[in-house]
Structures are given as C-alpha cells and as structure tokens.
Amino acid sequence: QVQLVQSGAEVKKPGASVKVSCKASGYTFNSYAIHWVRQAPGQRLEWMGWINTGNGNTKYSEKFQGRVTITRDTSASTAHMEVVSLRSEDTAVYYCARDVAIGMFEYWGQGTLVTVSS
Amino acid sequence: QSALTQPPSVSGSPGQSVTISCTGTSSDVGRYVSWFQQPPGAAPKLMIYEVSIRPSGVPDRFSGSKSANTASLTISGLQAEDEADYYCSSYTGSSTYVFGPGTKVTVL
C-alpha cells in the first residue's frame, strides 16, 4: 500500500534552517509528483511547492520562492523540503502529499511539527 | 496571488444536507477544483477532485459541482463522522495551487 512517512518533530531557533523528509513506499517513487503543504496552528492549509520526482523540476508558491527548497533522492525514494531563515511565523505542521493527477492529492504523510522559538 | 473564499462555518442536523461554497475568479475556479476533509489533529483527506470526481472509498454522500466562479461541496445525509474542517483547492494554471480558508462543518 502507498505510504508517505515523514521525519520527526523539530524545534529550531529563529534564523536557523530545517529540513523535513518524506519517505515513500508502495509505488514507483519517480512516477508521481510530491507536494508540500503547511498548516500553522489554527490556520488554513497553505500550498508551498512541488517536485517532479522523475526529472527533479520544482515549482514554488511565490510566498516561499527563495526561502524553500524541495529536493528528492530517488535511490532512497525520499523527498526533502528545506526552509531557511526560519521565523516564528514558520511554526506549523508540514505535510507531504503525492498526486495522481492535477489536484488529486490522494496520499498524505502524517505531518511534521516544526516549532520556531527562541 | 489567487484567493478563494469559503464560509467560515456551516451546520446541520444528522440526515440533513449541507453545501459549502468556494468562490474565486474565473481563472481561480476552473476544471481542477479539489475538496479535502480534515478532522482535528489529522492529515487532510481527498474527497473530490476535478470538481466532481470522488476517489475510490469516498461515500457517495459527498458530491461536487461548479457554476461560473463558484465550486460547491454538498454532503447529503449528514452523519456525526462528517464533522471536520473542509478545504477547497484550485490549480492556478501556472503549475501552482491555492487553498481556500476552510469551512468548519458542525453536526448538531
């Protein structure tokens, strides 16, 4: 069965960086894109960007362009999402999701809580 | 940046129907509108994609539609387990996506 398993919770200081991983299993990793979505406490879902796991091409929301980098390691069937220059507003649960077609985010990771606090 | 609007909350009694709207510009609300259900503390679950298609396993009580710049999710025969936050999302056409602000569904 398809599974996306994310790395554990992180606590970071303002200005630091964080890298969250998303390990896929149960399907051919490089056949489907991986998206990253975050949710600050009590707030809406926020789409951050996605990676074509086949060729490595990426696309980011304007809001996160330049501060977020999505990569993949096909040998490990894992996608990564790094946020730099963290600020308190980046405190959120970060999710990875696999699409099957446009807008069809059918499989989600369990979420990774990133807390930014001094 | 594109913006979608949803009502903050809707409610209904068990067995009733509720409808959640998702409104944007004509370019924001096109063919690729999806709906997600998110119970408290859980990851989102895909309920509808491409405006009206239900993934396998989603009860047929959930249906989607679109008219002009407004997409809608209807839950018929409301059940207690349907209580959750519901988000619409749309593909913007430049390989990016946007989510609506979410609607809390309360079963009275």
Side-chain angles (χ1 to χ4, degrees):
Chain A
Q1 73 281 20
V2 174
Q3 280 194 307
L4 299 175
V5 178
Q6 299 183 222
S7 49
E10 303 262 14
V11 179
K12 296 291 183 180
K13 293 193 183 303
S17 300
V18 69
K19 194 170 188 178
V20 180
S21 66
C22 171
K23 182 169 176 60
S25 62
Y27 71 97
T28 302
F29 176 72
N30 57 7
S31 293
Y32 300 94
I34 293 287
H35 298 254
W36 288 88
V37 176
R38 79 175 187 181
Q39 187 171 38
Q43 301 301 309
R44 73 169 72 187
L45 299 172
E46 193 171 26
W47 182 83
M48 302 177 69
W50 66 283
I51 186 166
N52 179 322
T53 52
N55 61 20
N57 287 348
T58 55
K59 182 74 174 184
Y60 302 98
S61 166
E62 283 182 22
K63 176 175 179 176
F64 299 104
Q65 186 76 45
R67 209 163 63 89
V68 170
T69 303
I70 300 173
T71 57
R72 95 289 192 218
D73 179 349
T74 55
S75 66
S77 298
T78 300
H80 304 276
M81 189 280 304
E82 182 176 27
V83 185
V84 301
S85 303
L86 286 165
R87 33 206 191 229
S88 59
E89 308 89 89
D90 294 317
T91 293
V93 175
Y94 290 77
Y95 294 101
C96 61
R98 191 200 89 169
D99 75 13
V100 180
I102 295 177
M104 193 180 173
F105 304 160
E106 191 169 23
Y107 298 99
W108 291 70
Q110 82 276 20
T112 297
L113 175 62
V114 175
T115 302
V116 183
S117 174
S118 56
Chain B
Q1 189 171 349
S2 303
L4 301 175
T5 60
Q6 297 180 235
S9 64
V10 299
S11 62
S13 300
Q16 289 186 329
S17 294
V18 295
T19 296
I20 306 166
S21 60
C22 174
T23 301
T25 67
S26 58
S27 60
D28 293 338
V29 183
R31 172 182 172 187
Y32 299 107
V33 174
S34 304
W35 290 92
F36 298 88
Q37 176 193 67
Q38 188 181 36
K45 176 186 176 183
L46 178 68
M47 305 303 283
I48 296 286
Y49 67 100
E50 290 187 27
V51 174
S52 61
I53 302 175
R54 272 189 315 275
S56 174
V58 173
D60 59 8
R61 303 183 289 105
F62 293 86
S63 62
S65 62
K66 188 175 89 75
S67 177
N69 300 344
T70 298
S72 299
L73 174 71
T74 298
I75 310 174
S76 305
L78 198 62
Q79 298 183 5
E81 67 207 50
D82 301 332
E83 192 161 284
D85 292 327
Y86 290 81
Y87 293 89
C88 63
S89 79
S90 180
Y91 176 68
T92 66
S94 56
S95 297
T96 63
Y97 292 82
V98 63
F99 282 94
T103 297
K104 182 176 180 60
V105 170
T106 302
V107 182
L108 301 171

